Amino acid sequence: MLRAHDSNRDVDDALIEEVQIEQAQAPILPPQAGEVAAAQPLTLGGGASPSSQRAAKPPKRAATPTAPAPIFNPVGFFQREGAEALAATLEAHDRAALIALIAEHNLDPGGEAANLDRDALAAHVLAQAKRRAERDSKLFDY
């Protein structure tokens, strides 16, 4: 029998075979609408590791925005094009799209943006993009 790695723990071969059989029989379900398939650890049994199956919790779901998130990374856009270009791009999007963008890129970890109007949301995205760009430049400043 092949194992993914050497283990320092003494595990009975029967238990390993049982887990591999359970993994092989587990149905593989496609992600639900709006979900992204999570990367599963690679095992020889063909599925997620038993510990991840037991401990896996469903992802926390934020309030579903009514509009899809714009397809751009505001931090990367800020770094390439600058603050004025990002502000102009954000002006083209409505409040629902800005909320989706904030949720997609986790730009509101403190939960402060939920009650902001469209203009304040655009300013929030711009401020967060600037803050993260500055943080990233310090991270890679050797």
Side-chain angles (χ1 to χ4, degrees), residues 119-134:
D119 293 334
L121 285 172
H124 179 80
V125 170
L126 183 61
Q128 290 297 318
K130 180 180 179 183
R131 189 181 120 261
R132 288 192 182 177
E134 289 171 352

Side-chain angles (χ1 to χ4, degrees), residues 56-83:
K57 295 180 182 177
K60 291 183 181 179
R61 292 183 182 222
T64 305
T66 57
I71 304 177
F72 71 94
N73 181 335
V75 179
F77 192 90
F78 178 89
Q79 290 171 334
R80 280 189 317 275
E81 305 293 329

Side-chain angles (χ1 to χ4, degrees), residues 2-98:
L2 297 176
R3 292 190 184 189
H5 59 85
D6 292 331
S7 176
N8 292 334
R9 293 183 282 165
D10 187 23
V11 179
D12 185 29
D13 288 338
L15 179 61
I16 293 172
E17 289 177 20
E18 180 182 329
V19 169
Q20 289 176 338
I21 289 170
E22 286 177 7
Q23 289 175 350
Q25 293 174 349
I28 299 174
L29 302 174
Q32 298 296 322
E35 284 184 342
V36 176
Q40 297 294 327
L42 181 62
T43 62
L44 294 177
S49 67
S51 62
S52 69
Q53 288 177 348
R54 276 183 263 122
K57 295 180 182 177
K60 291 183 181 179
R61 292 183 182 222
T64 305
T66 57
I71 304 177
F72 71 94
N73 181 335
V75 179
F77 192 90
F78 178 89
Q79 290 171 334
R80 280 189 317 275
E81 305 293 329
E84 293 85 20
L86 179 57
T89 301
L90 294 173
E91 287 295 319
H93 298 289
D94 63 359
R95 184 179 189 281
L98 292 175

